[in-house]
Amino acid sequence: MKKFGSVLLTLALAGSVLAGCGQNAQQAPTASAGDQANNAAQAPAEQEEKTEELSGEVLIAGSSTVYPITIIAAEKFMEENPGVNVSVASTGTGGGFKKWQVGETDINNASSKIKDSVIEEAKKHGIEPLELTVAYDALTVVVNKENDFVDSMTVEELKKIWEPNSTVKLWSDVREGWPKEEIKLYGPGTDSGTFEYFTEQIVGEAKSSRTDYTPSEDDNVLVQGVAGDKYSLGYFGYAYYAENSDKLKAVPIVNPETKEAVMPSDEAIENGTYKPLGREIWIYPSKQALKKPQVAAFVKFYMENAAEYAKEAGYTPLPAEKYDVERKELEEALKALQ
Amino acid sequence: MTKLRKIKDVFFKWLFFAATAFGMLSLVVLVVDILYQGLPRLSWEFITNFPSFNPDKAGIKAAILGSVWVIGLTAPMALFLGVATALYLEEYAKKNWFTRLIQTNISNLAGVPSIIYGILGLALFVRAMKLGPSILAGAFTMALLVLPIVVVAAQEAIRAVPQTLRHGAYALGASKWQTIRGIVLPSAAPGILTGMILSLSRAIGETAPLVVVGAFVFVRFAPTDPLDKFTVLPIQIYSWVSQPKAAFHELAASGIIVLLIVLLLMNATAVLLRNKYQKRF
């Protein structure tokens, strides 16, 4: 019976370990999210015309921004091709390319363009990329809901805040008339494509940023941070703002060409006025992987339906003619591989 | 003088109680919060469905099976290697500087952050041994991760077996191996099992090393082979937590409840096993 005590201890210890994990899940839920995805789940089951049964696996890693679109494509593809296993990991653009360049994955999701160093490293392993744009995303700069003084920001102001060795400590350092309150900064971690794209567009050099901000690879942590602090500022992909627009305020960004402040929205991204933070997001199948029939079939399927899936995941689809261009590129690449 | 002594007495009693209450209270708050968020979405479908982009159809079948596979392979590896190492160190090795060096290393390894094991696993099992991001590579990595804990626990259990028992066995003419098999191991088994439970509890909640090894998140098939790709419960939970849609955060809470239940069941099984062993001696 004496041992019973140590059993309890075991349970308590195990419990506390788990409770620690649980902390991550403390995000307050908002009602009614996900309802819209309800009806769309039923994929049209028209697989009669399929000629031969595909099998094998398709391995995908990379950007967490592209992940929600890719899993829709993966799930619908597997409904029509039950013999194929499509597995998707969410590793961040950079982490995904490290696996992709040595051939451990077939496709990489990316929210920033492939780098020359990755292309070179991949070449050593006999791997070549094919770049396919799947949707638009708007990097969204957000402030607290109670922030009533920020009505727009310019690229220069953002640069002043985010550049390395920035001297901005107070809001009043950014623009005269703004309160003398400390500005609390939240942003994605350095392995993220969002970080890379933002720094490239705003600071002028990819991955060049001040370092004294609160970074997180988990965008919901950034949402919580900005939502909980009146004088905070952060940036992340539009989907996270859209789901939390009751808790956050998006900052209209002044378009450097027209000098007009533009709110991030589907229209603004599509007609190109949301600049410079409107961006494309990509998938990078390797040409070698495309030789496998199941990978080629999946990428084709993805690109045929990308507009629908992008919309469902909360992103802005490309104009139809742009998808045609991407599909043509894919067709040509596939033909060249035969 | 006496008065101060009494005040101190009461003060420390309440101080210690407050310390205990603090820990318990935070635990209760966490568990209640998780139950509140997670219970509405907890259903049989949640257990038997594969993950989905649609939160109403998403489940954790692949994650549960993945966790069972990984832990199922980790346990025998860690048990065998761990107990063998502990037996060598306690029963065979001479107590010299070399043994002490090994001993110090094992204790240090128990404190190495788990992600380091992940990096080792990626380089060694996934790439050098070309196992790919498979269940087997994950299980090897996990076995390495828990090995130091198992070794230390097993050593302590073996050390706790009274010398008189061993001497009795030798006096009856038993060989060293006979003594270990017949006397030392059965007496130490409950302690060894406790170490195993503790270490597997750690392994089942680990995310970081398996992310590095290359576990996937969105897996819609049941693994049937140690070389299959996989995901595990904590990774599934983590990925739901970082989704933009709030419905996925609720799913994460449901996943945490399941993980808790799985863990309690594992521990209960081990307790039963242990008690059974105990009654024989």
Side-chain angles (χ1 to χ4, degrees):
Chain A
M1 240 22 229
K2 186 180 73 184
K3 294 284 170 191
F4 196 69
S6 63
V7 172
L8 277 181
L9 179 73
T10 308
L11 289 178
L13 275 173
S16 59
V17 167
L18 280 165
C21 297
Q23 267 169 330
N24 290 336
Q26 295 298 298
Q27 330 293 347
T30 49
S32 89
D35 286 352
Q36 64 270 53
N38 239 347
N39 306 326
Q42 242 65 37
E46 300 151 17
Q47 65 234 69
E48 283 99 81
E49 57 352 314
K50 280 275 171 299
T51 42
E52 57 186 299
E53 192 81 355
L54 286 163
S55 64
E57 55 187 7
V58 181
L59 303 179
I60 309 170
S63 166
S64 57
T65 311
V66 190
Y67 175 84
I69 310 178
T70 300
I71 62 168
I72 299 177
E75 190 167 338
K76 301 239 160 133
F77 181 75
M78 281 186 277
E79 271 167 22
E80 291 186 17
N81 301 279
V84 181
N85 290 326
V86 184
S87 300
V88 193
S90 167
T91 55
T93 304
F97 271 128
K98 283 192 193 106
K99 291 181 184 299
W100 176 90
Q101 71 193 6
V102 295
E104 280 171 9
T105 54
D106 301 318
I107 301 169
N108 198 48
N109 293 330
S111 62
S112 58
K113 279 209 177 202
I114 190 168
K115 277 185 287 190
D116 291 342
S117 59
V118 173
I119 297 180
E120 264 164 46
E121 186 59 37
K123 208 181 247 169
K124 284 185 209 156
H125 294 88
I127 286 164
E128 260 180 288
L130 176 68
E131 181 179 283
L132 297 169
T133 314
V134 292
Y136 291 129
D137 181 31
L139 268 188
T140 306
V141 177
V142 294
V143 292
N144 190 275
K145 196 83 194 161
E146 282 170 46
N147 182 322
D148 47 13
F149 49 90
V150 173
D151 49 4
S152 74
M153 283 179 105
T154 64
V155 173
E156 290 73 39
E157 283 168 340
L158 284 171
K159 180 177 179 182
K160 209 167 152 191
I161 298 175
W162 284 99
E163 66 190 350
N165 307 318
S166 163
T167 53
V168 172
K169 285 217 164 62
L170 311 174
W171 277 98
S172 54
D173 297 337
V174 183
R175 192 188 289 182
E176 244 167 82
W178 283 354
K180 285 198 164 59
E181 294 283 350
E182 196 183 336
I183 180 167
K184 296 264 178 58
L185 296 172
Y186 294 84
T190 53
D191 213 21
S192 123
T194 307
F195 171 79
E196 201 171 321
Y197 189 79
F198 184 85
T199 46
E200 194 180 330
Q201 295 303 316
I202 298 297
V203 180
E205 190 187 330
K207 298 208 165 200
S208 158
S209 165
R210 76 191 284 170
T211 51
D212 54 341
Y213 69 97
T214 309
S216 176
E217 302 290 348
D218 179 352
D219 292 320
N220 284 311
V221 173
L222 306 177
V223 169
Q224 295 296 316
V226 177
D229 187 337
K230 189 177 169 189
Y231 295 103
S232 57
L233 179 135
Y235 67 90
F236 36 73
Y238 183 76
Y240 286 86
Y241 164 69
E243 289 295 329
N244 296 286
S245 54
D246 54 331
K247 286 185 261 175
L248 302 168
K249 208 170 113 177
V251 179
I253 305 296
V254 176
N255 182 324
E257 286 148 33
T258 63
K259 306 286 176 209
E260 259 174 66
V262 182
M263 268 292 263
S265 68
D266 280 352
E267 304 84 63
I269 301 162
E270 232 181 297
N271 63 27
T273 52
Y274 187 69
K275 270 186 180 163
L277 292 179
R279 62 167 169 177
E280 297 174 324
I281 51 182
W282 300 274
I283 56 171
Y284 285 91
S286 82
K287 290 189 177 163
Q288 283 58 40
L290 283 174
K291 286 180 187 156
K292 295 183 249 181
Q294 75 273 21
V295 177
F298 172 72
V299 176
K300 260 201 234 165
F301 179 88
Y302 194 149
M303 293 314 292
E304 266 159 35
N305 303 294
E308 183 196 332
Y309 301 157
K311 208 166 206 165
E312 205 159 324
Y315 294 89
T316 310
L318 311 178
E321 59 275 15
K322 274 210 88 171
Y323 278 120
D324 287 339
V325 174
E326 300 298 312
R327 275 195 288 266
K328 198 173 258 170
E329 239 172 79
L330 173 64
E331 284 303 325
E332 274 162 18
L334 288 175
K335 224 176 267 165
L337 285 172
Q338 273 163 5
Chain B
M1 274 313 257
T2 19
K3 207 157 176 220
L4 186 66
R5 212 168 58 101
K6 287 221 164 119
I7 291 173
K8 269 189 184 163
D9 200 35
V10 173
F11 172 78
F12 278 107
K13 177 187 160 193
W14 286 105
L15 183 73
F16 297 151
F17 175 74
T20 314
F22 178 78
M24 293 307 291
L25 218 76
S26 7
L27 188 64
V28 168
V29 168
L30 276 172
V31 169
V32 167
D33 187 68
I34 290 300
L35 289 178
Y36 177 76
Q37 281 193 49
L39 277 181
R41 284 191 179 270
L42 201 59
S43 63
W44 187 241
E45 280 75 47
F46 179 70
I47 311 284
T48 54
N49 279 3
F50 285 117
S52 169
F53 66 87
N54 175 357
D56 294 324
K57 290 170 83 187
I60 49 168
K61 184 174 175 185
I64 290 184
L65 291 173
S67 278
V68 167
W69 267 95
V70 170
I71 295 298
L73 288 173
T74 302
M77 286 191 265
L79 186 68
F80 173 74
L81 289 174
V83 173
T85 309
L87 280 175
Y88 174 75
L89 287 174
E90 285 303 313
E91 301 288 327
Y92 292 95
K94 294 210 171 66
K95 302 280 175 251
N96 55 17
W97 66 271
F98 186 67
T99 316
R100 277 198 299 278
L101 186 73
I102 295 179
Q103 192 67 55
T104 316
N105 266 314
I106 290 173
S107 309
N108 278 336
L109 280 176
V112 169
S114 58
I115 193 154
I116 306 290
Y117 287 95
I119 296 168
L120 176 69
L122 177 67
L124 190 61
F125 304 128
V126 177
R127 294 196 172 150
M129 285 171 64
K130 298 207 186 309
L131 291 176
S134 60
I135 293 173
L136 195 59
F140 277 139
T141 309
M142 281 303 188
L144 277 189
L145 173 74
V146 300
L147 201 51
I149 315 174
V150 177
V151 172
V152 171
Q155 273 187 292
E156 265 159 30
I158 290 165
R159 221 176 291 149
V161 177
Q163 280 297 333
T164 47
L165 282 182
R166 292 189 183 84
H167 292 159
Y170 292 141
L172 290 170
S175 69
K176 190 153 197 166
W177 168 236
Q178 283 174 324
T179 308
I180 290 173
R181 208 195 55 181
I183 303 294
V184 177
L185 272 187
S187 312
I192 294 174
L193 277 178
T194 314
M196 270 311 281
I197 302 164
L198 271 174
S199 59
L200 289 183
S201 305
R202 177 172 177 196
I204 205 171
E206 276 291 350
T207 323
L210 291 181
V211 169
V212 177
V213 162
F216 286 84
V217 175
F218 190 78
V219 176
R220 282 179 63 88
F221 62 92
T224 52
D225 186 280
L227 289 175
D228 274 344
K229 310 294 179 287
F230 71 109
T231 190
V232 292
L233 273 170
I235 292 184
Q236 182 69 69
I237 292 167
Y238 176 71
S239 94
W240 276 335
V241 166
S242 55
Q243 289 291 300
K245 284 184 181 146
F248 284 111
H249 306 165
E250 294 161 27
L251 284 174
S254 312
I256 290 169
I257 297 175
V258 173
L259 184 53
L260 268 170
I261 293 172
V262 167
L263 206 86
L264 292 177
L265 282 178
M266 265 176 61
N267 284 322
T269 317
V271 170
L272 287 178
L273 275 174
R274 251 180 45 166
N275 288 347
K276 207 178 146 200
Y277 266 108
Q278 228 169 352
K279 272 173 202 150
R280 284 205 290 162
F281 290 91

